[in-house]
Protein backbone atom coordinates (compact mmCIF):
# COMPACT_ATOMS: atom_id res chain seq x y z
CA UNK A 1 0.00 0.00 0.00
CA UNK A 2 2.92 2.32 0.59
CA UNK A 3 3.77 2.13 -3.11
CA UNK A 4 0.25 3.22 -4.02
CA UNK A 5 0.60 6.22 -1.72
CA UNK A 6 3.98 7.16 -3.16
CA UNK A 7 2.61 6.94 -6.69
CA UNK A 8 -0.33 9.16 -5.76
CA UNK A 9 1.97 11.77 -4.21
CA UNK A 10 4.31 11.66 -7.21
CA UNK A 11 1.37 12.15 -9.58
CA UNK A 12 0.05 15.11 -7.52
CA UNK A 13 3.10 16.62 -5.79
CA UNK A 14 1.50 19.99 -5.07
CA UNK A 15 -2.06 18.87 -4.34
CA UNK A 16 -2.48 16.86 -1.15
CA UNK A 17 -6.24 16.45 -1.64
CA UNK A 18 -5.81 15.09 -5.18
CA UNK A 19 -3.07 12.72 -3.99
CA UNK A 20 -5.29 11.47 -1.16
CA UNK A 21 -8.22 10.99 -3.54
CA UNK A 22 -6.03 9.04 -5.99
CA UNK A 23 -4.75 6.89 -3.12
CA UNK A 24 -8.26 6.15 -1.88
CA UNK A 25 -9.54 5.33 -5.36
CA UNK A 26 -6.76 2.73 -5.68
CA UNK A 27 -7.12 1.46 -2.12
CA UNK A 28 -10.87 0.92 -1.75
CA UNK A 29 -11.27 -1.83 -4.40
CA UNK A 30 -8.39 -3.73 -2.82
CA UNK A 31 -10.02 -3.69 0.62
CA UNK A 32 -13.55 -4.59 -0.50
CA UNK A 33 -13.17 -8.36 0.14
CA UNK A 34 -12.05 -7.64 3.72
CA UNK A 35 -14.98 -5.27 4.21
CA UNK A 36 -17.38 -7.97 2.99
CA UNK A 37 -15.97 -10.52 5.45
CA UNK A 38 -16.15 -8.03 8.31
CA UNK A 39 -19.74 -7.18 7.41
CA UNK A 40 -20.67 -10.88 7.43
CA UNK A 41 -19.06 -11.36 10.86
CA UNK A 42 -20.77 -8.27 12.24
CA UNK A 43 -24.10 -9.58 10.98
CA UNK A 44 -23.46 -12.91 12.75
CA UNK A 45 -22.72 -11.13 16.02
CA UNK A 46 -25.40 -8.42 16.10
CA UNK A 47 -27.72 -9.13 13.17
CA UNK A 48 -31.34 -10.26 13.30
CA UNK A 49 -30.31 -13.89 13.92
CA UNK A 50 -27.76 -13.08 16.65
CA UNK A 51 -26.40 -14.79 18.59
CA UNK A 52 -27.65 -18.00 16.97
CA UNK A 53 -25.74 -17.43 13.72
CA UNK A 54 -22.53 -16.74 15.63
CA UNK A 55 -22.97 -19.86 17.75
CA UNK A 56 -23.72 -21.91 14.61
CA UNK A 57 -20.38 -20.78 13.21
CA UNK A 58 -18.54 -22.30 16.18
CA UNK A 59 -20.69 -25.42 16.15
CA UNK A 60 -19.91 -26.00 12.47
CA UNK A 61 -16.17 -25.55 13.18
CA UNK A 62 -16.31 -28.11 16.01
CA UNK A 63 -18.11 -30.62 13.79
CA UNK A 64 -15.57 -30.15 10.99
CA UNK A 65 -12.73 -31.35 13.25
Amino acid sequence: MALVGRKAIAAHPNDVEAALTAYEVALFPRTEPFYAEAHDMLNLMIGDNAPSGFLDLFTAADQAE
Side-chain angles (χ1 to χ4, degrees), residues 1 10-11 14 16 22 30 35 39 42-43 46 48 58-60 65:
M1 286 191 213
N14 298 317
V16 175
R30 294 174 55 191
Y35 167 77
H39 184 267
L42 185 62
N43 191 41
I46 63 172
D48 292 338
F58 285 107
T59 302
E65 293 178 358

Side-chain angles (χ1 to χ4, degrees), residues 16-61:
V16 175
E17 289 299 319
L20 183 57
T21 298
Y23 173 74
E24 290 175 345
V25 166
L27 181 67
F28 288 156
R30 294 174 55 191
T31 60
E32 195 281 329
F34 301 105
Y35 167 77
E37 287 181 22
H39 184 267
D40 290 345
M41 184 58 71
L42 185 62
N43 191 41
L44 283 174
M45 292 190 296
I46 63 172
D48 292 338
N49 193 27
S52 298
F54 193 59
L55 295 173
D56 291 345
L57 178 69
F58 285 107
T59 302

